[in-house]
Amino acid sequence: MSQQLNVQNLVVDLQTEQGMARAVDALHLTLQKGQTFALVGESGCGKSMTALSLLRLLPDNAVIQNGKVNLNDVDVFDLSEKQMRSIRGRRISIIFQEPSTSLNPVMTVGDQILEVIFQHTDLQAEQARKRAIEWLQKVGLPEPERRMGSYPFELSGGQLQRVMIAIALAAEPDLLIADEPTTALDVTIQAQILDLLKSLQQERGMAMLLITHDLAVVSGMADQVALMYAGQIVEVASAADFFVRPSHPYAKLLLQALPGEDLRGRQLAAIHGTVPPLTQTFTGCRFAPRCPYQTEVCTDKAVAMTALSDTHNVRCVRVHDASLQSLSLPPLLERAQATSLDHAVLLSVKNLSVTYSMGGGVLGGKKTFQAVKGVSFDIQRGQTLALVGESGCGKTTIGKSLLQLLTPQTQVTGQAILQGQDLFQLKGQALQASRKQMQIIFQNPFASLNPRMRVQEILEEGMKSLHPEWSVDQRKADLKILMDQVGLRADALDRYPHEFSGGQRQRIAIARALAVKPSLIVCDEPTSALDVSVQAQILNLLRELQDHLGVSYLFVTHNIGVVAYLADRVAVMHAGEMVEMGDASQILNNPQHAYTKSLLSAVPQLNTALS
């Protein structure tokens, strides 16, 4: 099998306010033609910076200090910028992590796909348009011909991700870099996209560098897996070896952090602490401060990779230590006894319908679209209702309607009774006061965090507005606790949102919702951008708040593992309607509706069985 990509000794430095950070440190990887190589690890460990280096799309404050990147026989770092433009899109293409920031907001979806086709193929006019529509159809975008004329703001997060994938594949590249390609997608579309990528590999021998925190996706897609930590690869192995015989303590802990129904009522094995600042000088194992197995030998000197086999290498000084092999992972902790709650109904929604008005003009009245159709549900104190279903089915619309965050042109009917008040009837100060009780964690943290405000100002904004009685000292103490709870260092308070990775920004968004201590939180995909270790930390935090404070959650998600672990009840949405609702175990193990059955059958499963 011929090599498609060979990366040798890649070193990338990043200039930050805290000093020069070594974002990628002496990275080596080889990717074969037709192979999928998965790069996994915590947010901020250098995965995306590695991907951007391969395309020479690094930000202005980053510099490649060393390394070679050979694509077949071409050294990418030796090419001029003009030559790189012919490489990007045609030879190497990328699916970016945040489509809402990488798509041009003033160009239609169709024009953005056509731009790639015109640039890198011989197709013109109607043939190019036909090819663009075919790609939108392949990635599962409804009404592809109509969507050619849509602008990015008219599409949901999942639909934007599908458009981004179509653009990346339109010129049929030799190498696809997929940076969290299915993060914003529901499981049915995720399965469709992953099947599409597999079929393209088989047809064209396309190589793929898959960057993701979804280990179940990695298990089903990857041939090789490399685990990164603090800028270094700490374990690389075949997918079979990695999932069946993880050897680095970090790998073992990650696999134990995955949520599921078997862990309900117990704390997940979150990895305490955070990735160390990459501005520091390291002398030993970078994972040692967080490792339950660390000894003095781990911090003595730099740790080199150790070969366990021809295809399995690990960066751990104790990997051959018999005492380490005999140690079991730290035991899973039972959850603290829940606060005694009467589980009375906190929020009661009756016959909720939401209709959007679109367009209009002199030739006719406005068009309307009913996004939510007569939905009813209750959320009890201290319990979690999970809303699941495909992208665009109305899940997020329900959450935003409860907080009156929809446009004035949107018509909302029905009732939403919270603490004896109908939320849809509240205005002015009464509406503001209700937000002490109810907050939201938005799906896209980049768009929902003010880029001109430091993190401390973002978090204090709600505290000052909704709880003016809190003193400066109380706010300061709460902020320190919040940072620790969501897995961020205290110095994050002095930085701006753009200085963080996608997963770190999501933690800030979660901290903002928690800051005012509400009784109900609408969680719109709150863990979709998080790696599994931080996801475990956040889920443990949400459980703890629920147990001790009686917080309730309306949890919008496509992660069925999270639903199985966290939800008390599940409601399944399809085309604006609620097609099935019941206890979580009942829905997940014995679904009755055909749509629910198809949804659950598409969920990727982690394969840790010996082959």
Side-chain angles (χ1 to χ4, degrees):
M1 188 180 288
S2 61
Q3 287 186 5
Q4 193 87 33
L5 179 74
N6 183 256
V7 181
Q8 293 293 323
N9 200 36
L10 178 63
V11 178
V12 180
D13 283 350
L14 197 64
Q15 182 63 53
T16 70
E17 288 185 2
Q18 290 74 39
M20 190 67 79
R22 181 137 292 180
V24 181
D25 192 2
L27 180 138
H28 298 260
L29 65 86
T30 300
L31 184 52
Q32 309 289 350
K33 184 178 175 67
Q35 184 186 62
T36 297
F37 191 108
L39 202 55
V40 299
E42 283 184 282
S43 177
C45 72
K47 306 187 301 296
S48 294
M49 204 59 67
T50 298
L52 293 174
S53 300
L54 305 184
L55 281 159
R56 285 174 40 191
L57 290 175
L58 289 168
D60 292 339
N61 64 330
V63 60
I64 296 170
Q65 297 286 19
N66 196 11
K68 286 192 172 185
V69 174
N70 288 314
L71 181 65
N72 294 331
D73 296 324
V74 178
D75 189 343
V76 171
F77 291 166
D78 284 345
L79 300 178
S80 67
E81 178 56 30
K82 182 178 179 181
Q83 290 172 316
M84 274 305 299
R85 283 198 291 271
S86 66
I87 292 287
R88 297 187 195 111
R90 181 64 190 94
R91 300 286 302 282
I92 311 178
S93 195
I94 186 168
I95 302 167
F96 290 103
Q97 185 174 355
E98 292 182 347
S100 59
T101 59
S102 54
L103 293 173
N104 191 324
V106 297
M107 288 177 67
T108 65
V109 163
D111 284 345
Q112 294 186 63
I113 300 178
L114 288 170
E115 186 177 38
V116 175
I117 295 172
F118 290 148
Q119 175 76 19
H120 297 294
T121 75
D122 296 327
L123 297 178
Q124 297 296 323
E126 194 55 39
Q127 283 184 313
R129 178 178 169 79
K130 184 179 179 183
R131 173 72 64 84
I133 293 171
E134 283 176 1
W135 277 111
L136 289 180
Q137 193 168 24
K138 280 183 178 182
V139 299
L141 194 70
E143 303 178 272
E145 289 191 50
R146 183 171 73 85
R147 288 304 188 189
M148 285 285 288
S150 297
Y151 288 90
F153 74 88
E154 297 179 283
L155 305 181
S156 70
Q159 290 169 335
L160 288 176
Q161 189 72 310
R162 285 177 251 178
V163 170
M164 187 75 246
I165 292 168
I167 292 171
L169 295 175
E172 301 185 356
D174 299 324
L175 169 64
L176 176 68
I177 300 172
D179 191 358
E180 304 285 4
T182 59
T183 292
L185 302 181
D186 56 84
V187 290
T188 52
I189 298 299
Q190 173 178 271
Q192 183 180 333
I193 293 299
L194 296 178
D195 287 343
L196 171 64
L197 294 175
K198 281 181 181 178
S199 67
L200 282 170
Q201 284 185 296
Q202 292 169 356
E203 289 170 17
R204 304 189 64 258
M206 181 180 74
M208 180 161 59
L209 179 63
L210 176 65
I211 297 173
T212 183
H213 58 260
D214 191 329
L215 293 178
V217 168
V218 172
S219 174
M221 287 289 291
D223 301 293
Q224 291 283 114
V225 180
L227 177 63
M228 283 191 80
Y229 186 80
Q232 290 184 326
I233 288 179
V234 296
E235 183 163 1
V236 60
S238 68
D241 269 1
F242 182 81
F243 288 105
V244 175
R245 305 175 190 87
S247 298
H248 197 282
Y250 179 43
K252 295 180 181 183
L253 288 166
L254 278 182
L255 291 170
Q256 242 211 358
L258 294 169
E261 191 172 9
D262 56 327
L263 294 174
R264 282 184 67 87
R266 304 176 77 184
Q267 285 191 340
L268 296 172
I271 304 172
H272 297 291
T274 59
V275 177
L278 300 181
T279 50
Q280 73 181 67
T281 301
F282 295 98
T283 54
C285 173
R286 299 181 183 188
F287 186 63
R290 305 173 68 190
C291 182
Y293 306 137
Q294 76 132 326
T295 62
E296 287 183 12
V297 70
C298 299
T299 54
D300 285 347
K301 57 185 178 181
V303 184
M305 293 290 264
T306 299
L308 300 183
S309 71
D310 290 343
T311 59
H312 198 160
N313 295 279
V314 182
R315 195 183 298 274
C316 178
V317 295
R318 300 192 63 203
V319 71
H320 291 305
D321 190 332
S323 62
L324 174 61
Q325 302 305 323
S326 65
L327 286 173
S328 60
L329 287 166
L332 294 168
L333 300 174
E334 296 294 337
R335 282 171 57 199
Q337 186 63 41
T339 303
S340 178
L341 292 170
D342 57 7
H343 292 308
V345 173
L346 175 68
L347 174 70
S348 181
V349 175
K350 302 293 184 188
N351 201 31
L352 170 62
S353 293
V354 181
T355 304
Y356 289 108
S357 297
M358 300 178 293
V362 294
L363 297 179
K366 290 184 178 180
K367 295 179 181 178
T368 60
F369 169 69
Q370 193 168 9
V372 179
K373 306 169 185 177
V375 167
S376 299
F377 59 87
D378 291 339
I379 300 178
Q380 296 176 309
R381 291 182 185 276
Q383 293 204 336
T384 300
L385 173 67
L387 272 183
V388 300
E390 291 179 285
S391 179
C393 70
K395 306 186 302 292
T396 296
T397 297
I398 289 174
K400 287 184 176 179
S401 69
L402 296 176
L403 285 123
Q404 292 196 33
L405 295 177
L406 300 174
T407 63
Q409 292 77 28
T410 306
Q411 184 182 3
V412 178
T413 60
Q415 285 186 321
I417 308 299
L418 176 70
Q419 309 271 44
Q421 292 182 303
D422 187 348
L423 296 173
F424 300 148
Q425 303 302 317
L426 300 179
K427 304 292 179 187
Q429 289 187 339
L431 176 61
Q432 182 174 340
S434 72
R435 288 177 179 161
K436 291 181 184 180
Q437 301 299 319
M438 182 165 57
Q439 286 286 305
I440 185 169
I441 301 166
F442 291 100
Q443 182 176 356
N444 184 347
F446 191 86
S448 63
L449 298 174
N450 190 326
R452 295 182 177 87
M453 294 172 69
R454 295 181 189 271
V455 171
Q456 179 164 338
E457 296 172 301
I458 289 170
L459 299 185
E460 282 192 315
E461 188 176 32
M463 293 175 158
K464 291 176 179 178
S465 175
L466 299 177
H467 289 284
E469 73 278 8
W470 290 355
S471 68
V472 173
D473 288 343
Q474 184 177 351
R475 290 201 306 268
K476 192 173 180 180
D478 283 353
L479 287 176
K480 285 184 178 178
I481 294 170
L482 274 174
M483 287 293 97
D484 184 58
Q485 286 177 325
V486 299
L488 290 172
R489 296 191 302 272
D491 62 11
L493 291 169
D494 298 322
R495 294 157 63 191
Y496 291 94
H498 74 269
E499 298 179 70
F500 297 90
S501 67
Q504 290 168 327
R505 281 196 289 266
Q506 188 70 304
R507 290 181 241 177
I508 295 166
I510 291 169
R512 179 177 59 181
L514 297 174
V516 299
K517 301 179 181 177
S519 56
L520 172 65
I521 300 178
V522 176
C523 304
D524 190 3
E525 302 284 4
T527 61
S528 66
L530 302 181
D531 56 85
V532 292
S533 62
V534 178
Q535 174 180 267
Q537 196 171 345
I538 295 300
L539 292 177
N540 284 342
L541 170 61
L542 294 176
R543 277 284 199 194
E544 185 180 335
L545 290 168
Q546 197 164 64
D547 289 346
H548 294 290
L549 303 176
V551 180
S552 302
Y553 305 116
L554 176 61
F555 207 95
V556 175
T557 186
H558 60 258
N559 188 326
I560 302 301
V562 170
V563 171
Y565 173 74
L566 190 67
D568 298 289
R569 291 175 62 76
V570 177
V572 183
M573 297 282 296
H574 179 58
E577 296 181 311
M578 197 170 282
V579 297
E580 188 166 1
M581 183 165 60
D583 291 339
S585 59
Q586 173 194 329
I587 297 292
L588 298 177
N589 298 312
N590 188 27
Q592 299 300 306
H593 196 278
Y595 174 73
T596 310
K597 292 177 182 178
S598 69
L599 190 71
L600 295 176
S601 68
V603 177
Q605 301 296 321
L606 187 69
N607 180 19
T608 57
L610 286 166
S611 55

